[in-house]
Amino acid sequence: MTEFIPSTEKEGINSTDENPIFELAWLVLGTVVILAFLYASLGFVGEKFIVNLTPEKEIEYFSKIPVSKQFNVESNARFDEINELFKHLEDSSLKNLKLLALKDKELNAFAYPGGMILVTEGLLEKVKSKMGLAFVVGHEIGHFQNRDHLRGMGKALGFTMISSLLGFAGSDFVLSSITQEMVANAYNRTQEDEADEFAMKLLKLTYGTSQGAEEFFRVILSEQGQFSKYIPGILSTHPHPKERLEKILKFKR
Amino acid sequence: MIELGITAVLLVLGYVFGSINEKEHFQKIRIREHRLKAFPTHAGTKTFILNGEVKIVCGSVVVASDYFKSFIGNLKSLFGGRLTSYESLMDRARREAIIRMKESAVSWGAQEVIDVQINTSFIDKLGVEVSAVGTAIKRQPV
């Protein structure tokens, strides 16, 4: 005959007394390491993929992030002045670039993935001549020609994928990070110089002269003298306007 | 960034309230287990000569997980390993269910419970239900 022996449950067999905070710390650390690795490798692969996108594919992919949703843009009559600029482009895909005015007082222009060039209203206001504006737009076309506007986007791609893994996909947080990356994406000195050079060649080809191309730099330099609040963006992402001015003047000769 | 902030706040809330709850619950469980220590309970069918009444007694408990536990659980699904944060939850639920079953048997006037079975079911993603079912025996005084 078996006998019932009264006893209470011994603690710590079916559950642990370990502090779960340490466990969480380890888990978070491990996850961060894995995500960092994913981010780096996706960024690397994404960069290769995105820079080699054909212009048609580029438009197809990026039209899913409509520019008007992120920025306050509209068309502007001043772009009609420089229609000619697109006629002499060798690469036919560049002829379809769209020009839009960005409602912003700062003096700046952007090559936006998906075949759009955004020029701020501040710039349209201050740069008054056709040649001045043509140079600015030509510079951005140069970025498109050299695919500069897509470099650095691989990181944004990695970021998007990881965000979707974590369940943040499609949130405004992710969208705005991507577009911020696009805009803040600073090109290096060589890329800027090459874009300037491209613009000068294009002006020469289109109008037979590059006279007046330097207006934009003159405007920036004069604004700088007044400690204008409209130019810090372009100063932080581009070589100094004085250097660029000297370079294009040299190029003209 | 806002999402990360919300996650952090929920984690802290989950940890603070979760561990306060768990601590209190374990304390109560220990006291009541001690009180019912001498009450015979058997998981198997014991051969017995019935000279009295039998009745099914059931103790059931539903325990909710907290954000902290679920968060650890989600991360664990990447790495594998013991889900220790849920182990304590299950331990509490199982012990509580047995206590409730015993209490129900005692209140009916039984002397022992035989053939105890423990079942677990999940209620969506919210928490876990553990039930202990057994046959309570009330012997007639000879």
Side-chain angles (χ1 to χ4, degrees):
Chain A
M1 187 73 191
T2 48
E3 200 185 342
F4 175 75
I5 301 159
S7 63
T8 46
E9 191 138 351
K10 196 169 178 291
E11 301 282 338
I13 290 176
N14 288 326
S15 65
T16 172
D17 289 336
E18 274 171 48
N19 195 331
I21 294 269
F22 293 114
E23 193 175 14
L24 179 72
W26 273 113
L27 286 172
V28 168
L29 193 73
T31 315
V32 167
V33 168
I34 288 179
L35 289 184
F37 177 75
L38 271 179
Y39 178 69
S41 46
L42 279 177
F44 183 76
V45 175
E47 185 78 24
K48 290 258 172 285
F49 166 74
I50 223 160
V51 171
N52 291 318
L53 272 182
T54 62
E56 293 78 31
K57 285 277 172 206
E58 177 198 334
I59 290 170
E60 189 189 325
Y61 292 155
F62 283 97
S63 61
K64 280 167 193 150
I65 310 175
V67 62
S68 55
K69 217 171 171 181
Q70 292 297 315
F71 300 104
N72 199 351
V73 290
E74 56 182 28
S75 52
N76 192 299
R78 279 211 60 197
F79 294 132
D80 297 338
E81 294 173 21
I82 52 165
N83 271 340
E84 263 177 273
L85 208 52
F86 291 88
K87 280 185 190 148
H88 297 276
L89 289 167
E90 282 168 40
D91 191 340
S92 62
S93 70
L94 294 177
K95 290 185 179 171
N96 298 325
L97 291 174
K98 259 192 226 117
L99 289 166
L100 286 167
L102 180 66
K103 280 200 184 254
D104 197 311
K105 284 276 162 243
E106 220 178 275
L107 301 180
N108 217 336
F110 309 94
Y112 190 92
M116 263 165 292
I117 293 174
L118 310 183
V119 184
T120 62
E121 284 188 347
L123 192 148
L124 288 172
E125 207 174 286
K126 293 268 159 109
V127 177
K128 296 194 170 68
S129 74
K130 177 179 91 175
M131 289 304 272
L133 181 61
F135 175 78
V136 170
V137 173
H139 175 93
E140 300 307 327
I141 299 174
H143 282 316
F144 273 102
Q145 163 89 29
N146 300 331
R147 316 301 282 158
D148 293 336
H149 65 302
L150 294 178
R151 284 176 218 282
M153 286 287 304
K155 269 184 277 168
L157 198 75
F159 184 80
T160 324
M161 287 188 178
I162 284 168
S163 307
S164 65
L165 268 181
L166 294 176
F168 293 159
S171 72
D172 290 344
F173 172 56
V174 173
L175 264 186
S176 62
S177 314
I178 294 171
T179 44
Q180 268 165 28
E181 182 112 24
M182 286 175 188
V183 172
N185 189 2
Y187 309 129
N188 64 35
R189 201 164 272 266
T190 327
Q191 289 172 328
E192 293 300 347
D193 285 346
E194 278 171 9
D196 280 350
E197 204 179 312
F198 179 89
M200 292 302 279
K201 278 185 190 157
L202 185 63
L203 256 56
K204 195 107 186 179
L205 192 70
T206 312
Y207 302 110
T209 171
S210 52
Q211 204 65 42
E214 68 279 3
E215 187 191 0
F216 175 61
F217 298 120
R218 299 220 190 275
V219 168
I220 288 195
L221 287 172
S222 74
E223 286 285 320
Q224 199 181 16
Q226 302 161 24
F227 298 101
S228 168
K229 58 177 190 263
Y230 301 136
I231 55 170
I234 196 140
L235 287 183
S236 65
T237 54
H238 288 68
H240 196 277
K242 213 166 183 174
E243 279 174 44
R244 290 172 71 191
L245 179 60
E246 278 162 16
K247 267 188 192 151
I248 67 162
L249 289 179
K250 213 190 270 170
F251 185 84
K252 248 202 271 188
R253 268 184 265 130
Chain B
M1 266 358 243
I2 295 165
E3 277 94 343
L4 283 180
I6 292 174
T7 308
V9 169
L10 286 176
L11 269 181
V12 171
L13 284 180
Y15 178 68
V16 169
F17 288 108
S19 37
I20 289 175
N21 257 325
E22 188 154 288
K23 221 173 177 177
E24 278 182 3
H25 193 194
F26 267 130
Q27 245 156 20
K28 278 185 198 157
I29 286 174
R30 273 177 217 121
I31 295 166
R32 284 150 73 213
E33 268 179 353
H34 191 76
R35 206 183 289 150
L36 292 162
K37 191 176 159 183
F39 187 83
T41 329
H42 310 275
T45 33
K46 197 179 148 199
T47 45
F48 62 98
I49 303 153
L50 184 62
N51 184 19
E53 295 169 49
V54 290
K55 185 195 174 192
I56 285 179
V57 279
C58 174
S60 156
V61 62
V62 180
V63 191
S65 174
D66 57 60
Y67 190 83
F68 185 82
K69 283 184 167 56
S70 313
F71 190 84
I72 287 194
N74 281 333
L75 287 185
K76 266 280 160 82
S77 66
L78 274 176
F79 300 98
R82 279 175 65 190
L83 265 175
T84 43
S85 60
Y86 281 101
E87 280 179 351
S88 61
L89 189 79
M90 295 305 290
D91 194 40
R92 272 159 63 198
R94 185 176 44 77
R95 285 161 77 175
E96 177 74 35
I98 293 176
I99 291 170
R100 287 187 182 177
M101 181 199 68
K102 283 186 182 180
E103 281 172 346
S104 139
V106 169
S107 72
W108 179 58
Q111 283 87 28
E112 64 180 311
V113 180
I114 59 163
D115 205 9
V116 176
Q117 288 179 31
I118 292 169
N119 289 299
T120 312
S121 54
F122 289 90
I123 296 173
D124 255 351
K125 281 171 184 164
L126 293 171
V128 65
E129 192 231 8
V130 175
S131 63
V133 184
T135 309
I137 301 173
K138 202 197 299 187
R139 280 189 221 96
Q140 299 293 17
V142 188

